[in-house]
Amino acid sequence: MASAAPPVGTAELAIEITDRLSSQLSRVRLYGFRRPAAPRPDARPAVPDVVRQRARKPPRPAPAPTLVAVAHGSRDPRAVHTVHALLDRVRALRPGLPVRLGHIELNRPLLADTLAGLRGEAVLVPLLFGRGYHVTHDLPAALAAAPHLTGRIATPLGPHALLAEALHGRLLEAGFGDAHLETGSGDALRESGFSDALLEAGFGDALMEAGSGNASAAPAPAECAAPACCRSRSRSGAGRTAVVLAAAGSRAARSADDTARTARLLSARLGGIPVLPAYASAATPTVAEAVRILTARGHDRIAVASCFTAPGRFAAQCAAAAPGTAAAPLGDHPALARLVLHRYDQALLARTASDPDGIRAATVTV
């Protein structure tokens, strides 16, 4: 007779129950889903969405608006080459910036053709030195005829301390500095504590504006454009020396104001030497008349500074009237290239757009 199985102890009973429950529970589905399978040893861990988003490359920045340099145009074959040299220097200062050229007349490409070939945003930078008809009428009209563009118009190149620097540089290159400037006291603006950075930011203009009052207080064309505080210094030392600032001229009063302010900046740059504005057309005095005015005041060392971007009929006409030193047009002077970029940057920061109000704001802001 077989012997009875030994009684199961409490511990053994608990183990048996646990094993059977585990076996049964392994077959149960939770809410209709099976338990997830165990990960394979060679499977890659899941990457959280946050980590995946951080690993994505940042979006490319929008392309910079095209800088469209607007030249007047000239029948002189040297003019186009000179303007291209200036724009090459602009490109060298800011690689990657799209730079194009458009002419108001006489040369190709014409501004209308340049704008027709562009898309997106463009900033028109006039290679002109005052708020004459071309800046206030021709450029807005050209943008209005290109509705496919978001267009902005920069302030003309003058007046500005960088323009005075370029004019000064061309005078020195023409030989004006040897005997004429040693008797002066150097750059009055910088002697007053104005750094290059402040002058480039436009504080030179503000200084001259504060010293001369509003535009209506600008000196008449027949008067010396040197600030009153500099005239006594110019009489004692460089009293025989003076400069005629030759510009294209315009019937617009604001253009004459701009030229007068440029003359004051150049006078300060020359240490107080008198600088008298003169014009090739549409305004007075002419260069020849300005020379006679200065001669009558006792100046017998008179140079002509050329406020023109490139060679042309007006520049040649003004140089021919010089009794002595005649500076070359500004061309690709480094300070002028920096000024072109400065006006471009100003236009981007200004409240401008392709609508008439925006165009007006960008055009008249100095």
Side-chain angles (χ1 to χ4, degrees), residues 263-275:
R264 291 194 292 274
L265 286 166
L266 180 57
S267 175
R269 178 86 193 189
L270 296 173
I273 288 175
V275 178

Side-chain angles (χ1 to χ4, degrees), residues 165 168 184-194 196 199 233 265-272:
E165 180 181 337
H168 177 213
S185 58
D187 187 351
L189 289 178
R190 284 178 172 77
E191 284 181 354
S192 301
F194 278 77
D196 288 337
L199 292 177
R233 294 162 61 189
L265 286 166
L266 180 57
S267 175
R269 178 86 193 189
L270 296 173

Side-chain angles (χ1 to χ4, degrees), residues 238-258:
R240 297 170 55 193
T241 302
V243 172
V244 174
L245 177 63
S250 171
R251 291 183 178 87
R254 290 183 300 177
S255 181
D257 294 339
D258 293 338

Side-chain angles (χ1 to χ4, degrees), residues 26-307:
S26 64
R27 302 191 186 111
V28 175
R29 298 182 183 181
L30 180 62
Y31 302 114
F33 294 96
R34 293 184 180 275
R35 292 173 57 189
R40 293 180 303 172
D42 59 343
R44 294 182 180 179
V47 180
D49 290 341
V50 175
V51 175
R52 189 180 293 109
Q53 291 173 1
R54 290 178 181 174
R56 291 174 183 169
K57 294 182 179 180
R60 293 183 179 179
T66 301
L67 189 162
V68 180
V70 183
H72 182 276
S74 171
R75 292 185 176 86
D76 191 318
R78 298 172 296 171
V80 173
H81 297 292
T82 302
V83 173
H84 276 294
L86 171 62
L87 298 189
D88 286 343
R89 193 177 288 276
V90 170
R91 294 185 184 99
L93 288 173
R94 192 168 298 180
L97 176 67
V99 179
R100 299 292 184 271
L101 172 62
H103 293 90
I104 295 172
E105 59 182 3
L106 300 175
N107 293 121
R108 295 187 180 278
L110 292 173
L111 177 59
D113 296 333
T114 298
L115 297 182
L118 296 177
R119 294 296 180 270
E121 292 187 74
V123 177
L124 276 58
V125 180
L127 303 183
L128 305 167
F129 303 100
R131 294 166 292 175
Y133 186 86
H134 292 312
V135 171
T136 59
H137 292 80
D138 289 344
L139 270 61
L143 270 186
H148 61 287
L149 290 176
T150 300
R152 310 176 183 211
I153 300 176
T155 304
L157 299 183
H160 195 274
L162 284 171
L163 175 57
E165 180 181 337
L167 291 164
H168 177 213
R170 291 297 188 228
L171 282 170
L172 294 180
E173 291 172 2
F176 181 68
D178 297 340
H180 306 81
L181 300 183
E182 288 177 2
T183 54
S185 58
D187 187 351
L189 289 178
R190 284 178 172 77
E191 284 181 354
S192 301
F194 278 77
S195 66
D196 288 337
L198 288 176
L199 292 177
E200 289 185 28
F203 283 90
D205 293 350
L207 175 66
M208 299 309 297
E209 203 168 54
S212 61
N214 56 30
S216 63
E223 295 180 1
C224 174
C229 62
C230 296
R231 292 178 187 170
S232 61
R233 294 162 61 189
S234 67
R235 292 192 188 102
S236 62
R240 297 170 55 193
T241 302
V243 172
V244 174
L245 177 63
S250 171
R251 291 183 178 87
R254 290 183 300 177
S255 181
D257 294 339
D258 293 338
T259 305
R261 288 181 59 197
T262 298
R264 291 194 292 274
L265 286 166
L266 180 57
S267 175
R269 178 86 193 189
L270 296 173
I273 288 175
V275 178
L276 180 62
Y279 305 95
S281 69
T284 56
T286 64
V287 172
E289 291 168 346
V291 169
R292 288 196 291 270
I293 291 169
L294 292 172
T295 301
R297 292 176 181 173
H299 302 287
D300 58 0
R301 293 187 298 199
I302 301 172
V304 172
S306 182
C307 197

Side-chain angles (χ1 to χ4, degrees), residues 333-353:
H333 193 281
L336 196 67
R338 286 154 55 203
L339 180 53
V340 169
L341 286 171
H342 177 63
R343 292 307 196 203
Y344 170 85
D345 293 336
Q346 278 185 322
L348 290 180
L349 294 174
R351 175 190 166 273
T352 57

